[in-house]
Amino acid sequence: MSSKNNGAQGAIEKKAKEDRFQGHDYYNIDELLQEDHLLARDAVRSWVKQEVSPIIEEYSERAECPTHLFKGLAEIGAFGPSLPVEYGGGGMDEIAYGVIMQELERGDSGVRSMASVQGSLVMYPIFRFGSEEQKRKYLPKLGQGELIGCFGLTEPDYGSNPAGMVTNVRDDGDAYILNGAKMWITNSPVADIAVVWARDEEGAIRGMIVEKDMKGYSAPTIHGKWSLRASITGELVFEDVRVPKKNVFPEVKSMKGPLSCLSKARYGIAWGAIGAAMDCYDSALRYALERQQFGRPIGGFQLTQKKLAEMITEITKAQLLAWRLGTLANKGKATPAQISMAKRNNVNMALEVAREARQIHGGMGITNEYPVMRHLMNLETVLTYEGTHDIHLLITGMDVTGLNAFS
Ligand code: TGC
Ligand code: FAD
């Protein structure tokens, strides 16, 4: 089956297609990147072409997580790229972290999620809030992919408003007794440990490392997702789980703990979404030049050019936003509200690009012959997790007005 429109059946049967992706850099943003950023970007791009592209459509169709990729993700340094090497990270800067997320999400948002959760939502809180003993015990193994982690904040009744959480701990001597449930937890069914946020008897929000073998812990899988199908999502259920006090983060006792982790992950998503958008644009551009209708390439029609021109314009704006955010983050100056703006803008941009790319591919756009529909479906999740599109708008609104629309 060629990439021309020869019938959807062949397209659906054809697996392990050649990945012809080329990066797009309309404003020479590469000139703003350092040598090590470009090396990291190119290494991850090659790895994605070799390890992700040949299998991702099949895994996505089967709604199965390619868990064998955890080891490879560790080897390419995708877990905590900007955390110190001695604590299992990559010792790189925030822009390197960003370009790595971009390339992973170019492959699939679910693969980027595997790295985001492990690095930014599990390793980062242990690094930032954990005791020295916790860091030494867990971080090297997490960095090497020997342990898989998940992050439990969202609850069935508390999504956008995690501060309302009812999962709780009560003091029991040398341990806390943990009860409650978390919902929509990426990687929970395959995780060895969970970073869990719960309310203590004084009402303070505490973070802790819960191990899967602890009695009363379970992590059932959530089935039936039409989005992020190559990522495994589950619940976390705690029934009188006895969590030793040495597993509790000693210092942090407020929402600042989990929200700081979100800032780290949202930053990565702001870059990641550009990858998904670039893949859709790349596929649409090639298709528009190859596909003939009315005796000429569809790329010759003004309406197709409008779509492509607007797509590359929006991708370029998002690249500049991410790069500037990265330079601020490197100086420790990126504010949570700035990160919210970039996450919201870039994910929405990617979703719009995916929709336009889907149209350019005509009927073929809904098949697995092209990556576009998979990205489109994935991005519906990315628009919602790590703070919904509207929650980020309200964060920007609060930042510019000084007025809180949440309470
Ligand atoms: P609020 O009273 O505003 O703030 C409490 C304290 O936290 C500080 N803070 C932040 N710090 C760092 N980063 C941020 N993004 C921060 N946002 C707030 C704040 O300065 C304050 O500090 P202090 O020192 O005064 O105590 O907190 P709130 O509870 O009222 O927050 C409101 C709101 C809506 C902004 C927050 O709840 C929110 O962001 N909601 C969205 C929930 C969300 O994003 N959930 C994500 C769950 S994890 C996930 O989706 C993983 S997907 C993973 C994957 O597969 O990739
Ligand atoms: P709700 O909060 O119920 O929101 C529903 C709608 O109401 C949204 O459109 C929202 O924008 C709107 N809304 C809510 N409040 C307001 C308001 N004040 N003003 C205006 N509109 C409002 N969580 C984790 O903790 N860990 C994970 O690893 C994780 N992984 C996920 C993986 C997947 C595949 C998905 C889908 C979610 C994941 N999440 C995870 C949860 C995710 O962060 C939440 O889904 C998200 O924060 C939204 O919460 P909710 O789904 O309960 O929606």
Side-chain angles (χ1 to χ4, degrees):
M1 173 100 195
S2 77
S3 61
K4 305 241 168 58
N5 198 350
N6 293 338
Q9 187 54 40
I12 288 161
E13 282 166 6
K14 183 171 177 180
K15 308 291 180 197
K17 296 169 287 290
E18 185 195 357
D19 180 351
R20 295 159 73 193
F21 175 77
Q22 294 177 355
H24 295 277
D25 183 16
Y26 200 74
Y27 259 44
N28 295 339
I29 293 167
D30 276 5
E31 282 183 14
L32 301 171
L33 303 181
Q34 297 164 11
E35 187 72 23
D36 56 333
H37 301 146
L38 297 173
L39 283 172
R41 197 262 317 271
D42 293 346
V44 178
R45 187 170 293 175
S46 300
W47 182 82
V48 166
K49 284 196 176 202
Q50 215 171 311
E51 304 294 334
V52 178
S53 303
I55 59 149
I56 197 63
E57 297 291 350
E58 281 192 53
Y59 274 85
S60 206
E61 267 179 80
R62 293 202 304 263
E64 186 182 332
C65 178
T67 48
H68 66 279
L69 294 181
F70 275 118
K71 211 68 200 146
L73 283 165
E75 280 160 17
I76 60 169
F79 297 154
S82 57
L83 295 182
V85 175
E86 68 167 311
Y87 290 117
M92 292 185 279
D93 71 3
E94 299 298 334
I95 292 182
Y97 163 42
V99 295
I100 290 172
M101 295 302 120
Q102 172 189 289
E103 293 305 314
L104 293 179
E105 192 141 6
R106 205 284 298 174
D108 190 79
S109 301
V111 175
R112 196 265 308 131
S113 255
M114 291 163 83
S116 294
V117 170
Q118 183 87 347
S120 300
L121 297 181
V122 178
M123 292 173 67
Y124 175 72
I126 297 175
F127 167 70
R128 170 111 186 251
F129 305 117
S131 65
E132 195 56 31
E133 185 190 345
Q134 290 165 357
K135 291 183 205 180
R136 300 278 168 209
K137 179 171 178 191
Y138 295 106
L139 289 179
K141 286 186 180 160
L142 287 163
Q144 287 158 21
E146 287 170 23
L147 282 180
I148 302 306
C150 66
F151 176 85
L153 178 64
T154 305
E155 300 189 356
D157 293 329
Y158 297 95
S160 296
N161 178 26
M165 70 176 70
V166 291
T167 295
N168 62 86
V169 285
R170 99 182 118 78
D171 200 322
D172 190 38
D174 60 352
Y176 282 113
I177 307 298
L178 173 65
N179 278 289
K182 299 288 177 179
M183 178 80 175
W184 295 116
I185 308 305
T186 300
N187 293 340
S188 75
V190 296
D192 303 292
I193 64 166
V195 167
V196 176
W197 301 92
R199 189 180 298 286
D200 71 12
E201 287 155 297
E202 279 79 49
I205 303 300
R206 305 300 304 267
M208 62 207 71
I209 303 162
V210 184
E211 298 187 3
K212 72 171 179 194
D213 296 332
M214 290 177 179
K215 195 160 168 275
Y217 173 103
S218 60
T221 303
I222 294 173
H223 295 284
K225 297 189 336 254
W226 287 112
S227 172
L228 217 71
R229 288 167 65 81
S231 168
I232 187 161
T233 316
E235 298 170 50
L236 286 171
V237 182
F238 314 112
E239 290 172 324
D240 288 330
V241 180
R242 201 177 159 77
V243 183
K245 281 192 176 161
K246 65 178 168 45
N247 280 37
V248 177
F249 298 147
E251 298 304 334
V252 67
K253 289 184 181 169
S254 76
M255 281 304 291
K256 199 172 178 69
L259 293 176
S260 303
C261 308
L262 298 188
S263 277
K264 190 85 178 159
R266 290 166 177 173
Y267 169 84
I269 291 173
W271 282 87
I274 297 169
M278 274 205 284
D279 204 33
C280 293
Y281 170 75
D282 183 70
S283 184
L285 179 60
R286 197 174 305 112
Y287 193 83
L289 296 175
E290 289 175 358
R291 173 74 175 159
Q292 305 258 339
Q293 285 295 288
F294 300 97
R296 53 202 277 218
I298 58 169
F301 298 122
Q302 289 180 356
L303 288 176
T304 309
Q305 291 188 4
K306 177 175 187 290
K307 288 185 174 65
L308 290 167
E310 287 179 351
M311 286 158 78
I312 192 63
T313 304
E314 293 307 315
I315 288 171
T316 303
K317 285 154 67 179
Q319 286 170 325
L320 288 164
L321 198 59
W323 174 81
R324 176 62 186 151
L325 188 67
T327 60
L328 290 171
N330 277 342
K331 293 183 206 153
K333 286 185 175 172
T335 67
Q338 287 170 333
I339 293 170
S340 279
M341 180 186 281
K343 190 269 183 183
R344 178 176 185 273
N345 181 80
N346 290 11
V347 175
N348 195 53
M349 174 282 297
L351 194 51
E352 295 292 335
V353 165
R355 285 180 183 143
E356 294 291 74
R358 216 290 302 148
Q359 284 204 64
I360 289 175
H361 287 80
M364 292 305 285
I366 68 158
T367 72
N368 64 0
E369 176 90 343
Y370 299 92
V372 178
M373 193 71 191
R374 177 171 47 80
H375 282 307
L376 205 167
M377 293 193 301
N378 283 343
L379 287 162
E380 290 290 347
T381 285
V382 184
L383 195 78
T384 288
Y385 70 21
E386 291 286 358
T388 69
H389 188 64
D390 286 344
I391 291 298
H392 288 296
L393 176 104
L394 295 175
I395 290 172
T396 305
M398 179 161 59
D399 199 44
V400 297
T401 64
L403 303 173
N404 186 340
F406 297 110
S407 55

